[in-house]
PDB file of all heavy atoms in Angstrom:
ATOM      1  N   PHE A  67      97.686 100.595 118.222  1.00  0.00           N
ATOM      2  CA  PHE A  67      96.751  99.507 118.225  1.00  0.00           C
ATOM      3  C   PHE A  67      97.467  98.370 117.613  1.00  0.00           C
ATOM      4  O   PHE A  67      98.367  98.520 116.791  1.00  0.00           O
ATOM      5  CB  PHE A  67      95.470  99.885 117.379  1.00  0.00           C
ATOM      6  CG  PHE A  67      94.478  98.825 117.368  1.00  0.00           C
ATOM      7  CD1 PHE A  67      93.569  98.749 118.385  1.00  0.00           C
ATOM      8  CD2 PHE A  67      94.236  98.020 116.301  1.00  0.00           C
ATOM      9  CE1 PHE A  67      92.582  97.798 118.435  1.00  0.00           C
ATOM     10  CE2 PHE A  67      93.273  97.057 116.271  1.00  0.00           C
ATOM     11  CZ  PHE A  67      92.410  96.888 117.354  1.00  0.00           C
ATOM     12  N   PRO A  68      97.181  97.150 118.016  1.00  0.00           N
ATOM     13  CA  PRO A  68      97.918  95.959 117.512  1.00  0.00           C
ATOM     14  C   PRO A  68      97.910  95.816 115.999  1.00  0.00           C
ATOM     15  O   PRO A  68      98.727  95.299 115.354  1.00  0.00           O
ATOM     16  CB  PRO A  68      97.313  94.784 118.162  1.00  0.00           C
ATOM     17  CG  PRO A  68      96.672  95.314 119.434  1.00  0.00           C
ATOM     18  CD  PRO A  68      96.266  96.670 119.133  1.00  0.00           C
ATOM     19  N   GLY A  69      96.824  96.462 115.355  1.00  0.00           N
ATOM     20  CA  GLY A  69      96.706  96.254 113.864  1.00  0.00           C
ATOM     21  C   GLY A  69      97.744  97.314 113.267  1.00  0.00           C
ATOM     22  O   GLY A  69      98.102  98.296 113.769  1.00  0.00           O
ATOM     23  N   ARG A  70      98.140  96.963 112.087  1.00  0.00           N
ATOM     24  CA  ARG A  70      99.150  97.707 111.347  1.00  0.00           C
ATOM     25  C   ARG A  70      98.607  99.094 110.972  1.00  0.00           C
ATOM     26  O   ARG A  70      97.542  99.206 110.298  1.00  0.00           O
ATOM     27  CB  ARG A  70      99.570  97.008 110.057  1.00  0.00           C
ATOM     28  CG  ARG A  70     100.559  97.716 109.254  1.00  0.00           C
ATOM     29  CD  ARG A  70     100.948  96.834 108.101  1.00  0.00           C
ATOM     30  NE  ARG A  70     101.467  97.672 107.064  1.00  0.00           N
ATOM     31  CZ  ARG A  70     101.810  97.259 105.826  1.00  0.00           C
ATOM     32  NH1 ARG A  70     101.500  96.004 105.512  1.00  0.00           N
ATOM     33  NH2 ARG A  70     102.279  98.107 104.928  1.00  0.00           N
ATOM     34  N   GLY A  71      99.208 100.165 111.314  1.00  0.00           N
ATOM     35  CA  GLY A  71      98.884 101.517 111.028  1.00  0.00           C
ATOM     36  C   GLY A  71      97.615 102.047 111.698  1.00  0.00           C
ATOM     37  O   GLY A  71      96.971 102.981 111.213  1.00  0.00           O
ATOM     38  N   GLN A  72      97.201 101.363 112.783  1.00  0.00           N
ATOM     39  CA  GLN A  72      95.973 101.833 113.462  1.00  0.00           C
ATOM     40  C   GLN A  72      96.355 102.367 114.805  1.00  0.00           C
ATOM     41  O   GLN A  72      97.294 101.989 115.450  1.00  0.00           O
ATOM     42  CB  GLN A  72      95.009 100.673 113.614  1.00  0.00           C
ATOM     43  CG  GLN A  72      94.566 100.083 112.296  1.00  0.00           C
ATOM     44  CD  GLN A  72      93.657  98.914 112.491  1.00  0.00           C
ATOM     45  OE1 GLN A  72      93.526  98.369 113.475  1.00  0.00           O
ATOM     46  NE2 GLN A  72      93.060  98.513 111.333  1.00  0.00           N
ATOM     47  N   TRP A  73      95.531 103.319 115.282  1.00  0.00           N
ATOM     48  CA  TRP A  73      95.769 104.132 116.518  1.00  0.00           C
ATOM     49  C   TRP A  73      94.521 104.176 117.340  1.00  0.00           C
ATOM     50  O   TRP A  73      93.447 104.326 116.817  1.00  0.00           O
ATOM     51  CB  TRP A  73      96.358 105.515 116.168  1.00  0.00           C
ATOM     52  CG  TRP A  73      97.589 105.530 115.332  1.00  0.00           C
ATOM     53  CD1 TRP A  73      97.628 105.460 114.004  1.00  0.00           C
ATOM     54  CD2 TRP A  73      98.930 105.484 115.873  1.00  0.00           C
ATOM     55  NE1 TRP A  73      99.015 105.486 113.631  1.00  0.00           N
ATOM     56  CE2 TRP A  73      99.776 105.469 114.754  1.00  0.00           C
ATOM     57  CE3 TRP A  73      99.462 105.534 117.178  1.00  0.00           C
ATOM     58  CZ2 TRP A  73     101.139 105.390 114.954  1.00  0.00           C
ATOM     59  CZ3 TRP A  73     100.820 105.466 117.346  1.00  0.00           C
ATOM     60  CH2 TRP A  73     101.654 105.447 116.191  1.00  0.00           C
ATOM     61  N   PHE A  74      94.667 104.334 118.657  1.00  0.00           N
ATOM     62  CA  PHE A  74      93.645 104.701 119.599  1.00  0.00           C
ATOM     63  C   PHE A  74      93.896 106.182 119.728  1.00  0.00           C
ATOM     64  O   PHE A  74      94.891 106.697 120.133  1.00  0.00           O
ATOM     65  CB  PHE A  74      93.789 104.012 120.957  1.00  0.00           C
ATOM     66  CG  PHE A  74      93.453 102.592 120.956  1.00  0.00           C
ATOM     67  CD1 PHE A  74      94.310 101.611 121.287  1.00  0.00           C
ATOM     68  CD2 PHE A  74      92.033 102.240 120.791  1.00  0.00           C
ATOM     69  CE1 PHE A  74      93.944 100.290 121.264  1.00  0.00           C
ATOM     70  CE2 PHE A  74      91.633 100.908 120.837  1.00  0.00           C
ATOM     71  CZ  PHE A  74      92.624  99.927 121.119  1.00  0.00           C
ATOM     72  N   TYR A  75      92.795 107.038 119.531  1.00  0.00           N
ATOM     73  CA  TYR A  75      92.905 108.465 119.758  1.00  0.00           C
ATOM     74  C   TYR A  75      92.311 108.745 121.133  1.00  0.00           C
ATOM     75  O   TYR A  75      91.164 108.378 121.438  1.00  0.00           O
ATOM     76  CB  TYR A  75      92.071 109.203 118.745  1.00  0.00           C
ATOM     77  CG  TYR A  75      92.709 109.470 117.393  1.00  0.00           C
ATOM     78  CD1 TYR A  75      93.599 108.522 116.818  1.00  0.00           C
ATOM     79  CD2 TYR A  75      92.536 110.599 116.731  1.00  0.00           C
ATOM     80  CE1 TYR A  75      94.185 108.697 115.624  1.00  0.00           C
ATOM     81  CE2 TYR A  75      93.126 110.881 115.536  1.00  0.00           C
ATOM     82  CZ  TYR A  75      93.962 109.887 114.977  1.00  0.00           C
ATOM     83  OH  TYR A  75      94.562 110.160 113.743  1.00  0.00           O
ATOM     84  N   GLY A  76      93.114 109.460 121.970  1.00  0.00           N
ATOM     85  CA  GLY A  76      92.684 109.892 123.235  1.00  0.00           C
ATOM     86  C   GLY A  76      91.740 111.155 123.123  1.00  0.00           C
ATOM     87  O   GLY A  76      91.660 111.708 122.020  1.00  0.00           O
ATOM     88  N   PRO A  77      91.154 111.603 124.194  1.00  0.00           N
ATOM     89  CA  PRO A  77      90.348 112.758 124.142  1.00  0.00           C
ATOM     90  C   PRO A  77      90.973 114.090 123.576  1.00  0.00           C
ATOM     91  O   PRO A  77      90.348 114.855 122.885  1.00  0.00           O
ATOM     92  CB  PRO A  77      89.848 112.962 125.521  1.00  0.00           C
ATOM     93  CG  PRO A  77      90.639 112.102 126.357  1.00  0.00           C
ATOM     94  CD  PRO A  77      91.279 111.144 125.549  1.00  0.00           C
ATOM     95  N   GLN A  78      92.219 114.249 123.857  1.00  0.00           N
ATOM     96  CA  GLN A  78      92.945 115.462 123.360  1.00  0.00           C
ATOM     97  C   GLN A  78      93.070 115.410 121.831  1.00  0.00           C
ATOM     98  O   GLN A  78      92.825 116.412 121.134  1.00  0.00           O
ATOM     99  CB  GLN A  78      94.348 115.561 124.000  1.00  0.00           C
ATOM    100  CG  GLN A  78      94.330 115.585 125.508  1.00  0.00           C
ATOM    101  CD  GLN A  78      94.539 114.181 126.049  1.00  0.00           C
ATOM    102  OE1 GLN A  78      94.218 113.199 125.487  1.00  0.00           O
ATOM    103  NE2 GLN A  78      94.948 114.165 127.404  1.00  0.00           N
ATOM    104  N   MET A  79      93.429 114.308 121.260  1.00  0.00           N
ATOM    105  CA  MET A  79      93.631 114.207 119.813  1.00  0.00           C
ATOM    106  C   MET A  79      92.285 114.195 119.163  1.00  0.00           C
ATOM    107  O   MET A  79      92.143 114.842 118.074  1.00  0.00           O
ATOM    108  CB  MET A  79      94.393 112.844 119.433  1.00  0.00           C
ATOM    109  CG  MET A  79      94.741 112.787 118.051  1.00  0.00           C
ATOM    110  SD  MET A  79      95.794 114.063 117.422  1.00  0.00           S
ATOM    111  CE  MET A  79      97.388 113.624 117.955  1.00  0.00           C
ATOM    112  N   THR A  80      91.314 113.670 119.817  1.00  0.00           N
ATOM    113  CA  THR A  80      89.930 113.711 119.217  1.00  0.00           C
ATOM    114  C   THR A  80      89.446 115.152 119.159  1.00  0.00           C
ATOM    115  O   THR A  80      88.824 115.634 118.163  1.00  0.00           O
ATOM    116  CB  THR A  80      88.991 112.846 120.049  1.00  0.00           C
ATOM    117  OG1 THR A  80      89.416 111.505 120.080  1.00  0.00           O
ATOM    118  CG2 THR A  80      87.574 112.820 119.504  1.00  0.00           C
ATOM    119  N   ALA A  81      89.688 115.931 120.192  1.00  0.00           N
ATOM    120  CA  ALA A  81      89.281 117.343 120.268  1.00  0.00           C
ATOM    121  C   ALA A  81      90.081 118.175 119.161  1.00  0.00           C
ATOM    122  O   ALA A  81      89.418 119.009 118.533  1.00  0.00           O
ATOM    123  CB  ALA A  81      89.592 117.941 121.640  1.00  0.00           C
ATOM    124  N   LEU A  82      91.313 117.847 119.003  1.00  0.00           N
ATOM    125  CA  LEU A  82      92.090 118.522 117.901  1.00  0.00           C
ATOM    126  C   LEU A  82      91.512 118.192 116.538  1.00  0.00           C
ATOM    127  O   LEU A  82      91.359 119.082 115.718  1.00  0.00           O
ATOM    128  CB  LEU A  82      93.630 118.090 118.065  1.00  0.00           C
ATOM    129  CG  LEU A  82      94.580 118.692 117.072  1.00  0.00           C
ATOM    130  CD1 LEU A  82      94.558 120.226 117.171  1.00  0.00           C
ATOM    131  CD2 LEU A  82      95.907 118.156 117.189  1.00  0.00           C
ATOM    132  N   GLN A  83      91.253 116.899 116.311  1.00  0.00           N
ATOM    133  CA  GLN A  83      90.613 116.496 115.079  1.00  0.00           C
ATOM    134  C   GLN A  83      89.264 117.208 114.820  1.00  0.00           C
ATOM    135  O   GLN A  83      88.963 117.707 113.737  1.00  0.00           O
ATOM    136  CB  GLN A  83      90.419 114.966 115.021  1.00  0.00           C
ATOM    137  CG  GLN A  83      89.715 114.457 113.763  1.00  0.00           C
ATOM    138  CD  GLN A  83      90.568 114.613 112.549  1.00  0.00           C
ATOM    139  OE1 GLN A  83      91.783 114.499 112.582  1.00  0.00           O
ATOM    140  NE2 GLN A  83      90.010 114.973 111.422  1.00  0.00           N
ATOM    141  N   ARG A  84      88.434 117.285 115.877  1.00  0.00           N
ATOM    142  CA  ARG A  84      87.130 118.000 115.751  1.00  0.00           C
ATOM    143  C   ARG A  84      87.379 119.462 115.447  1.00  0.00           C
ATOM    144  O   ARG A  84      86.584 120.082 114.730  1.00  0.00           O
ATOM    145  CB  ARG A  84      86.340 117.831 117.053  1.00  0.00           C
ATOM    146  CG  ARG A  84      85.960 116.450 117.397  1.00  0.00           C
ATOM    147  CD  ARG A  84      84.888 115.872 116.419  1.00  0.00           C
ATOM    148  NE  ARG A  84      84.519 114.516 116.909  1.00  0.00           N
ATOM    149  CZ  ARG A  84      84.867 113.492 116.200  1.00  0.00           C
ATOM    150  NH1 ARG A  84      85.617 113.515 115.125  1.00  0.00           N
ATOM    151  NH2 ARG A  84      84.449 112.274 116.629  1.00  0.00           N
ATOM    152  N   ALA A  85      88.388 120.134 116.051  1.00  0.00           N
ATOM    153  CA  ALA A  85      88.682 121.479 115.716  1.00  0.00           C
ATOM    154  C   ALA A  85      89.058 121.610 114.248  1.00  0.00           C
ATOM    155  O   ALA A  85      88.608 122.633 113.561  1.00  0.00           O
ATOM    156  CB  ALA A  85      89.829 122.026 116.598  1.00  0.00           C
ATOM    157  N   PHE A  86      89.822 120.753 113.712  1.00  0.00           N
ATOM    158  CA  PHE A  86      90.164 120.798 112.248  1.00  0.00           C
ATOM    159  C   PHE A  86      88.921 120.629 111.446  1.00  0.00           C
ATOM    160  O   PHE A  86      88.725 121.380 110.475  1.00  0.00           O
ATOM    161  CB  PHE A  86      91.151 119.666 111.861  1.00  0.00           C
ATOM    162  CG  PHE A  86      92.539 119.824 112.372  1.00  0.00           C
ATOM    163  CD1 PHE A  86      93.314 118.893 112.868  1.00  0.00           C
ATOM    164  CD2 PHE A  86      93.203 121.153 112.287  1.00  0.00           C
ATOM    165  CE1 PHE A  86      94.636 119.073 113.265  1.00  0.00           C
ATOM    166  CE2 PHE A  86      94.463 121.285 112.729  1.00  0.00           C
ATOM    167  CZ  PHE A  86      95.167 120.262 113.220  1.00  0.00           C
ATOM    168  N   GLU A  87      88.094 119.667 111.799  1.00  0.00           N
ATOM    169  CA  GLU A  87      86.854 119.429 111.043  1.00  0.00           C
ATOM    170  C   GLU A  87      85.990 120.724 111.028  1.00  0.00           C
ATOM    171  O   GLU A  87      85.426 121.125 110.023  1.00  0.00           O
ATOM    172  CB  GLU A  87      86.075 118.258 111.594  1.00  0.00           C
ATOM    173  CG  GLU A  87      86.730 116.959 111.325  1.00  0.00           C
ATOM    174  CD  GLU A  87      86.066 115.804 112.061  1.00  0.00           C
ATOM    175  OE1 GLU A  87      85.045 115.977 112.832  1.00  0.00           O
ATOM    176  OE2 GLU A  87      86.532 114.644 111.967  1.00  0.00           O
TER     177      GLU A  87
END
Side-chain angles (χ1 to χ4, degrees):
F67 183 78
R70 181 177 158 191
Q72 297 177 349
W73 300 89
F74 285 116
Y75 277 39
Q78 303 91 338
M79 187 60 78
T80 302
L82 182 60
Q83 178 65 37
R84 297 290 183 252
F86 287 140
E87 290 172 0

